[in-house]
Amino acid sequence: LQDGLRSSSNSRSGSRERREEQTDTSDGESVTHHIRRLNQQPSQGLGPRGYDPNRYRLHFERDSREEVERRRKAAREQVLQPISAELLELDIREVYQPGSVLDFPRRPPWNYEMSKEQLMSQEERSFQEYLGKIHGAYTSEKLSHFEHNLETWRQLWRVLEMSDIVLLVTDIRHPVVNFPPALYEYVTGELGLALVLVLNKVDLAPPALVVAWKHYFHQHFPQLHIVLFTSFPRDPCASHDPSSVLKRTRRRGRGWTRALGPEQLLRACEAITAGKVDLSSWREKIARDMAGATWGGGSGEEEEEEDGPAVLVEQQTDSAMEPAGPTRERYKDGVVTIGCVGFPNVGKSSLINGLVGRKVVSVSRTPGHTRYFQTYFLTPTVKLCDCPGLTFPSLLPRQLQVLAGIYPVSQMQEPYTAVGYLASRIPVQTLLHLRHPEAEDPSCEHPWCAWDICEAWAEKRGYKTARTARNDVYRAANSLLWLAVDGRLSLCFQPPGYSEQRGTWESHPETTELVVSQGRVGPAGDEEEEEEEELSSSCEEEGEEDRDADEEGEGDEDTPTSARGPGLAAHNPYALLGEDEC
């Protein structure tokens, strides 16, 4: 088609994609057994404890060249059509098919007479059988990306064996994506542990939608304890200037102590432990944090670290290789161990920072940022355990995995169809005030394809190639995907039946309560400064931190500008863009 010819002549993506096809992996390492190893870390040999920084890299199935080329062609030719609101409703049975082989690998039986080599060999055989069942039942086109690295699954096994309570952290924008039913059945059934579902980042979704998801999970998974959480609560009743999507608000002061949800989590743990663990020190800590949480009262991160009590951190690099006993004493030595598990980029590390009250865990929106699990003593009787993000097998579209931050944006071979997936569900070209590349008259309507959106965004942002100064479409596509991952182009999915019952959820008493609670813990008197940042795929590939991350060397927290309106009625979720030019 003419669009395809025009687009390929106006960008550098052709040469870049050819290079990717030749190497088939962004880190230059040869790929075997159809697996791509992502996020390679620089290494100068093994450390003193034998730690390999690439040991827990993401291992995802490689897309075939034919599939990549097919999607690339569709991005140039397929005209985007907006979908109805009902199609944004997502049922967990469509994603995971409970009862199917879409399970997660279990640690095979073992005994103390087995050597370490025998145990590892047995686990490897069991893991290969697990992979064979999944790939035998589903084609690669139907399967989502999921973790093929046994080392990372061993980390999950160890965390589950250590934990008295398991926290499953999900992103409120698409919680069923991050909730594997097989893990729920295993934790609550075989292990007999309490499972707490944390609906995280609730500031990125309307309160009514948050409450609707909470009731959905209560109805389908009755043994769950559900907690609403966000590290950056905002006051829905405060007046917000709907600024550009390209601006971030930076706040100075004790941002982590303003987290919404620590008290809810404490109450859930008190109900679970039933007095078997003394949690009074945790309640006292929350009271101290709330009393001292004054925005602008500190000069930054250094002051927070000096003022707060020390947090004992234990790095568990190789202990995942050492099995715990078949039966472990619950609440050993009067300490409750809380394990945090979940998919990449759902905010597990940010949740721990919010519970501690300051930054103790490095956070990033790059999937696979947490390399191995660590434990943190929140108080003398409460120990937190942070597990690396794990991607469970499902039937989720791979484009949605990219938008959910599960697959690294910077390592995609073909980002354009993910942009098309986003643009068919939210009006990207309208929100970003894009002009069609072939439109001589802006008032005339032209059909859009994913490639057109990327080219228009490259033109608007001035993304040009270095040698020929043509539109850099690949960089523009990455920029748009980062906006979606970061929540500034917000795509929220809904539970089944939400469209018909929207009014009921908006007037629900729990919705009012959530609005009030966000206003109670939201920022007050904080020092704010807005700045427009240069959205560059290159800087993001280098590991720019996400909305939950502190700026290195400063006491700033990046918070999304997508603010909720003051009322409980239906809002335009894209009002953050305003009417001004981006």
Side-chain angles (χ1 to χ4, degrees), residues 265-332:
L265 181 57
L266 170 61
R267 290 199 298 266
C269 291
E270 287 177 336
I272 294 168
T273 57
K276 297 177 182 177
V277 179
D278 183 8
L279 299 179
S280 59
S281 59
W282 190 1
R283 182 167 294 280
E284 293 169 0
K285 181 188 184 310
I286 292 177
R288 288 196 306 269
D289 289 344
M290 294 303 296
T294 304
W295 285 101
S299 59
E301 182 179 318
E302 293 181 0
E303 180 177 334
E304 292 181 14
E305 292 181 350
E306 292 174 1
D307 289 350
V311 176
L312 178 61
V313 181
E314 299 175 343
Q315 293 187 353
Q316 311 286 346
T317 56
D318 285 331
S319 58
M321 308 294 292
E322 303 166 2
T327 57
R328 191 180 65 84
E329 178 184 352
R330 194 74 58 87
Y331 313 127
K332 186 177 180 180

Side-chain angles (χ1 to χ4, degrees), residues 115-127 154:
S115 66
K116 182 176 180 179
E117 290 71 21
Q118 289 175 326
L119 177 62
M120 294 179 63
S121 176
Q122 178 175 279
E123 291 175 350
E124 180 66 34
R125 287 195 302 270
S126 175
F127 185 64
R154 284 180 170 132

Side-chain angles (χ1 to χ4, degrees), residues 82-132:
I83 67 171
S84 62
E86 289 76 12
L87 294 179
L88 287 176
E89 297 178 358
L90 199 57
D91 192 337
I92 197 167
R93 292 170 293 185
E94 301 172 0
V95 178
Y96 286 101
Q97 292 189 349
S100 67
V101 296
L102 297 176
D103 204 335
F104 71 98
R106 316 294 174 86
R107 172 169 273 171
W110 59 274
N111 57 65
Y112 285 109
E113 297 178 357
M114 298 174 64
S115 66
K116 182 176 180 179
E117 290 71 21
Q118 289 175 326
L119 177 62
M120 294 179 63
S121 176
Q122 178 175 279
E123 291 175 350
E124 180 66 34
R125 287 195 302 270
S126 175
F127 185 64
Q128 292 303 321
E129 292 175 2
Y130 158 80
L131 294 178

Side-chain angles (χ1 to χ4, degrees), residues 235-249:
D235 186 356
C237 298
S239 60
H240 296 287
D241 180 21
S243 58
S244 167
V245 70
L246 300 181
K247 291 184 179 180
R248 281 185 174 183
T249 304

Side-chain angles (χ1 to χ4, degrees), residues 10-197:
N10 289 338
S11 78
R12 69 170 179 182
S13 61
S15 61
R16 179 162 189 166
E17 288 159 358
R18 282 193 294 272
R19 291 198 304 271
E20 288 176 346
E21 286 183 358
Q22 292 168 2
T23 61
D24 222 12
T25 178
S26 57
D27 55 41
E29 179 180 319
S30 62
V31 180
T32 59
H33 304 297
H34 306 289
I35 298 300
R36 256 186 118 197
R37 295 167 174 83
L38 308 177
N39 294 345
Q40 183 178 18
Q41 302 298 309
S43 175
Q44 299 179 351
L46 299 180
R49 299 180 59 185
Y51 170 63
D52 178 6
N54 291 308
R55 182 172 170 182
Y56 306 108
R57 294 170 63 189
L58 297 175
H59 288 193
F60 286 160
E61 185 180 15
R62 177 183 60 184
D63 289 324
S64 66
R65 295 184 181 182
E66 293 77 13
E67 176 64 17
V68 172
E69 186 58 36
R70 184 192 65 79
R71 294 203 305 259
R72 189 177 297 143
K73 183 178 180 181
R76 292 187 176 103
E77 299 178 355
Q78 186 173 347
V79 176
L80 298 177
Q81 299 291 343
I83 67 171
S84 62
E86 289 76 12
L87 294 179
L88 287 176
E89 297 178 358
L90 199 57
D91 192 337
I92 197 167
R93 292 170 293 185
E94 301 172 0
V95 178
Y96 286 101
Q97 292 189 349
S100 67
V101 296
L102 297 176
D103 204 335
F104 71 98
R106 316 294 174 86
R107 172 169 273 171
W110 59 274
N111 57 65
Y112 285 109
E113 297 178 357
M114 298 174 64
S115 66
K116 182 176 180 179
E117 290 71 21
Q118 289 175 326
L119 177 62
M120 294 179 63
S121 176
Q122 178 175 279
E123 291 175 350
E124 180 66 34
R125 287 195 302 270
S126 175
F127 185 64
Q128 292 303 321
E129 292 175 2
Y130 158 80
L131 294 178
K133 289 180 181 179
I134 294 179
H135 289 291
Y138 298 95
T139 63
S140 298
E141 290 73 20
K142 289 186 177 181
L143 278 174
S144 67
H145 289 293
F146 68 97
E147 186 59 75
H148 286 65
N149 188 352
L150 175 58
E151 298 289 347
T152 312
W153 288 109
R154 284 180 170 132
Q155 299 286 299
L156 174 66
W157 296 344
R158 185 62 174 133
V159 169
L160 294 179
E161 289 170 351
M162 291 178 59
S163 300
D164 301 308
I165 299 173
V166 178
L167 302 189
L168 178 55
V169 186
T170 63
D171 190 324
I172 189 60
R173 293 173 291 178
H174 34 69
V176 296
V177 171
N178 310 132
F179 187 91
L183 182 64
Y184 167 81
E185 298 293 342
Y186 179 71
V187 172
T188 59
E190 294 186 38
L191 297 183
L193 299 177
L195 182 62
V196 179
L197 174 63

